[in-house]
Every structure is written in C-alpha cells, then in structure tokens.
Amino acid sequence: MADLNEIADKLSGLTVLDAANLVKMLEEKWGVKAAAGGGMMMAMPAGAAAAPAEEKTEFTVVLKDSGANKINVIKEVRAMTGLGLKEAKDLVDGAPKNVKEGVNKKDAEEMMKKLEAAGAKVEIK
C-alpha cells in the first residue's frame, strides 16, 4: 500500500486548478460524481432516469472573451469558482475557457449576467 503521508504531502502541493483537474480525472476514472459542499448525495427517483428527451438540466458557463475590464472579470471568476488569483487570471487570460460546469440553468444565467456586467463575453452551453 502507498505511503499515505507521502500522498497527502503531494496533494498539499497542488494548485487549486490542478486539484480541480485531479477531481475531474478521478470522477471519469471511477465513474462517480463528487458531491458539492460535502453533503449526502440524494438518489434520483426511479422514473427520472427512464424519461427520454428531458430538458437539459446541467449547463456549462463558457468565458469567450474577457473584454476591456479584465480585472473585474477576474474578480467575478474568483468569486464564482473559489480559484486563487493566479488560477483565475490564467483562466481569464486563456479564454475561451469553461468557468463552471454542471450548474443548473438559474445559476448559469446568474453567472452569465455577473460576468457580462463585469465586461466579459459569455456563453452558456
């Protein structure tokens, strides 16, 4: 078995962006979805899984362009994602990039409004 202290030390050295990428990688590898907020995951009703052609419930907020007021866009991205200053700046500088994935329609629209108010061009997929 791997040395757990060594693994903990390596994980402590990750940036927030690297940690987020690690979570996505492990979700794909293990076929699971991390619960937000550490709460218990709720089971889907039996009929919900079988319903064909349901309305899309998960959306991705995509930053297309940071616009002229990049500092305000970085501030909004940090507030929405919990990223550090460097990671948020890298995300904004690397546009087009996904800001947040798997959010509901209401939250995606709120994020879009805030980012557009800060001067960014945003798309919801």
Side-chain angles (χ1 to χ4, degrees):
M1 180 159 198
D3 180 18
L4 296 180
N5 288 327
E6 183 181 331
I7 293 171
D9 289 340
K10 287 183 180 181
L11 289 175
S12 296
L14 292 178
T15 65
V16 175
L17 192 57
D18 288 338
N21 288 334
L22 176 62
V23 169
K24 289 178 190 173
M25 188 184 313
L26 293 175
E27 285 176 347
E28 290 174 12
K29 184 172 185 164
W30 294 336
V32 297
K33 180 81 174 147
M40 289 180 46
M41 293 183 67
M42 295 177 58
M44 280 180 41
E54 267 189 48
E55 182 180 336
K56 186 175 178 181
T57 58
E58 290 188 349
F59 297 86
T60 301
V61 180
V62 181
L63 177 68
K64 290 299 206 180
D65 183 41
S66 61
N69 205 347
K70 191 186 298 185
I71 293 173
N72 286 341
V73 175
I74 292 171
K75 287 178 183 178
E76 286 299 330
V77 168
R78 286 188 70 199
M80 291 174 189
T81 62
L83 292 174
L85 180 60
K86 182 183 181 331
E87 290 82 8
K89 182 183 181 302
D90 290 346
L91 189 148
V92 171
D93 287 342
K97 290 259 185 165
N98 293 350
V99 175
K100 196 98 171 185
E101 298 175 349
V103 296
N104 65 39
K105 188 173 186 174
K106 180 183 173 192
D107 289 344
E109 288 172 349
E110 286 177 18
M111 289 178 192
M112 182 176 179
K113 286 178 187 175
K114 287 179 181 179
L115 287 167
E116 286 178 342
K121 292 181 183 165
V122 184
E123 177 181 274
I124 296 177
K125 291 185 177 180

